[in-house]
Amino acid sequence: MVERTAGIGTGLATEDMVLNIGPQHPATHGVLRLRLVLDGEKIVRAEPIVGYMHRGAEKLFEVRDYRQIIMLANRHDWLSAFANELGVVIAAERMLGMEVPVRAVWARTMLAELNRALNHLMFLGSYPLELGAITPIFYTFREREELQKVMEEISGGRMHFMFNRVGGLKEDLPAGWLDRARAAIDAVRGRMSQVERLIHGNEIFHARTRGVGVLKPELVGTYGLSGPIARASGVDFDLRRDDPYLAYGELGDVLKVVTRKNGDCFDRFECLLEQTYNALDLAEACADRLAKLPQGPINLRLPKVLKVPEGETYAWTENPLGINGYYLVSRGDKTPWRLKLRSASFNNIQVLEELLPGYLVADMVAILGSMFFVVGDIDK
């Protein structure tokens, strides 16, 4: 399609150019495609085109039992595998009327926060990289490895932990693991200031992000945005505080809902940075509580064939990238009749059609990187 605009000033005719960014492009984090209409270097229209990684996960849920779907559910956001598993098991446990052992509740909360820190550290390193700053990603990967070691030790998995089970966790914490986890948390927290100084001291980073990609609070509600992106625009909402699950209701003195007011790329980065500190504090508080709990079960004994009673429920969790929702409908079988997944990245990316017009192509890279999405979480 060719779009023509009437020439002004010199009277020369000009044509708008259609530019496709992706579906394989370094700026798009994988197989996201952006169709831009440009007037020179200025973006006139933007259309995010999704679906290149769609694998039909929701239909696959319907032909697998409640143990198998955990494996599928932890893969759509590959940076938040443990958090992805939680929504599925919480929904199933609610339908079954299960009361999970208290040790499992606190261990799940701790692992969810370690997973949150892992997710945020990836974006804290990769975002400056997209703007030309290479060094920060080496620092953030060093910190990720500290946390990965303790997550890998407890679960046996590096990316897809598969440690949640309906009724609790796969197995108890290894001997001495809490001490090693605390040491890792202390080491990462102690070195985070190095990452902060690298980026905050970079005047180019400030120039590329301050006042760029301003997201108005009303658009947050219109598009159903959530997580650090929404909170950077002043939307003070976090399920861990506002609709507590796991052990978050008892962590109100540690949990901090980080917000900013400008809603630009810089504020979104700031939210992510401060949330990383808070995730480490929450994980440490959970470790302290676990150390005081008496020995006991970490899961419930389940029948060989697990069937969920007929009915429906909706479970939602505050994932690292925003709200994940799980709508479970059961007909009393060993597989879900329907399991609808509401992923954070899908909503977060749709607002680009309103956010990008008026900015330059160079700003598009800064804005896109600050939306903190995973393409598998968009397409499912």
Side-chain angles (χ1 to χ4, degrees), residues 46 65 81 99 102 111 137 142 163 204 217 241 255 306-307 325 366:
D65 67 34
E99 188 171 343
V102 66
L111 293 168
I137 198 165
R142 178 186 64 184
F163 199 55
I204 297 175
R241 179 198 63 194
L255 174 63
L306 179 64
K307 293 185 178 181

Side-chain angles (χ1 to χ4, degrees), residues 53 59 77 192 202 229 231 251:
M53 285 191 69
K59 296 305 290 182
D77 175 359
M192 280 294 293
N202 189 321
I229 294 172
R231 291 191 284 273
L251 289 167

Side-chain angles (χ1 to χ4, degrees), residues 11-42:
L12 295 175
T14 63
E15 293 184 358
D16 286 351
M17 181 175 73
V18 177
L19 177 66
N20 281 288
I21 305 291
Q24 291 283 0
H25 190 280
T28 59
H29 296 218
V31 285
L32 172 69
R33 177 182 166 203
L34 284 175
R35 183 181 179 277
L36 305 179
V37 177
L38 305 178
D39 179 9
E41 291 189 36
K42 187 178 180 181

Side-chain angles (χ1 to χ4, degrees), residues 74 81-82 85 115 118 151 155 157-163:
N74 72 14
F82 188 87
E85 299 168 10
N115 193 191
L118 278 171
M151 292 291 282
S155 68
R158 182 167 176 82
M159 283 185 68
H160 306 300
F161 304 110
M162 268 303 292
F163 199 55

